Amino acid sequence: NAGVMQNPRHLVRRRGQEARLRCSPMKGHSHVYWYRQLPEEGLKFMVYLQKENIIDESGMPKERFSAEFPKEGPSILRIQQVVRGDSAAYFCASSPEGPRNIQYFGAGTRLSVL
Amino acid sequence: GEDVEQSLFLSVREGDSSVINCTYTDSSSTYLYWYKQEPGAGLQLLTYIFSNMDMKQDQRLTVLLNKKDKHLSLRIADTQTGDSAIYFCAESLYGQNFVFGPGTRLSVLP
């Protein structure tokens, strides 16, 4: 059973470009969470999605950031017009149906904005 | 809002026990977790405890929960160099609204 898969592992963008981060949850998991980790800091919750629905986006910046989890395919975290401050590690986690007590994390995507 | 606090650094000698402490503010938390993050890697769930428990042991790991003081600790017995990592404490309410601490960087000295 493959774990949570994130790609790319490393992403370099210039200021003003778009960044697309992909997350495939564990098999059988229908809940996806995105977190951001700034250097030397803990994880900050961004958004929680189920298939085709955004359940909680209270941690998402109001502009430039969006997330989706379509019926087919991976969840996508999209950052438009990236700025230096977006440089961080972005982690995806997934959990199964039913009691969602455990979140399993991917290895993360490290975004560097030049 | 919810807050989770941890000391940022801990150094121990190989073979000694490590105790990593965490305090949280949300008394309605139902689950508390310890995750381990090695350099350049994602978070690995080490263990978790229900809020109605006060202790959980799993091989070299012992978790103690003092719900009254909202204090959680992780004890690693016979600490090895492979235990060097950042350890994150986290809380959740029925698996939602995960809140993570800033992480404790454990350094194991030979």
Side-chain angles (χ1 to χ4, degrees):
Chain A
N1 186 10
V4 178
M5 304 300 292
Q6 288 188 250
N7 66 81
R9 288 295 308 275
H10 301 275
L11 182 61
V12 179
R13 285 287 178 266
R14 295 193 179 280
R15 277 179 296 173
Q17 292 185 318
E18 179 179 286
R20 278 180 180 250
L21 289 65
R22 287 178 291 278
C23 169
S24 296
M26 284 179 73
K27 188 176 180 181
H29 288 194
S30 57
H31 304 266
V32 166
Y33 313 79
W34 285 94
Y35 294 84
R36 176 164 62 178
Q37 184 182 33
L38 294 169
E40 306 299 322
E41 292 188 17
L43 275 72
K44 300 297 183 190
F45 168 78
M46 298 182 74
V47 63
Y48 161 38
L49 310 104
Q50 294 180 27
K51 286 283 188 183
E52 299 184 281
N53 286 305
I54 296 174
I55 307 302
D56 180 358
E57 57 181 347
S58 57
M60 287 278 270
K62 294 284 186 285
E63 297 176 346
R64 301 187 299 108
F65 284 72
S66 62
E68 62 176 10
F69 189 16
K71 190 176 178 183
E72 300 290 339
S75 176
I76 305 286
L77 179 68
R78 183 178 175 215
I79 312 173
Q80 295 178 288
Q81 298 174 326
V82 296
V83 300
R84 288 255 172 90
D86 297 333
S87 295
Y90 292 83
F91 290 96
C92 170
S94 73
S95 64
E97 284 289 351
R100 298 183 294 277
N101 307 324
I102 304 297
Q103 294 187 9
Y104 297 87
F105 281 80
T109 293
R110 276 151 185 85
L111 173 65
S112 299
V113 180
L114 305 179
Chain B
E2 307 94 346
D3 197 15
V4 177
E5 302 274 347
Q6 297 177 244
S7 51
L8 297 182
F9 301 97
L10 176 66
S11 290
V12 299
R13 293 215 172 268
E14 194 173 10
D16 287 350
S17 292
S18 309
V19 179
I20 303 171
N21 294 302
C22 168
T23 57
Y24 59 98
T25 57
D26 189 354
S27 57
S28 61
S29 296
T30 54
Y31 298 94
L32 296 122
Y33 311 79
W34 284 104
Y35 282 86
K36 176 183 180 183
Q37 184 181 35
E38 296 185 63
L43 274 70
Q44 173 196 353
L45 177 68
L46 287 178
T47 186
Y48 69 100
I49 189 169
F50 300 135
S51 58
N52 63 357
M53 296 169 64
D54 52 21
M55 188 182 99
K56 182 177 180 181
Q57 186 150 7
D58 183 3
Q59 299 182 331
R60 292 191 298 124
L61 305 179
T62 303
V63 178
L64 295 177
L65 174 60
N66 181 330
K67 197 172 181 183
K68 175 175 167 288
D69 294 339
K70 301 194 191 81
H71 182 265
L72 183 74
S73 68
L74 174 69
R75 179 176 181 269
I76 306 172
D78 187 25
T79 313
Q80 303 297 307
T81 54
D83 295 324
S84 293
I86 302 175
Y87 291 81
F88 290 95
C89 169
E91 60 170 357
S92 81
L93 179 63
Y94 297 109
Q96 297 196 52
N97 302 326
F98 268 67
V99 178
F100 284 83
T104 298
R105 188 179 298 271
L106 175 64
S107 299
V108 182
L109 309 174

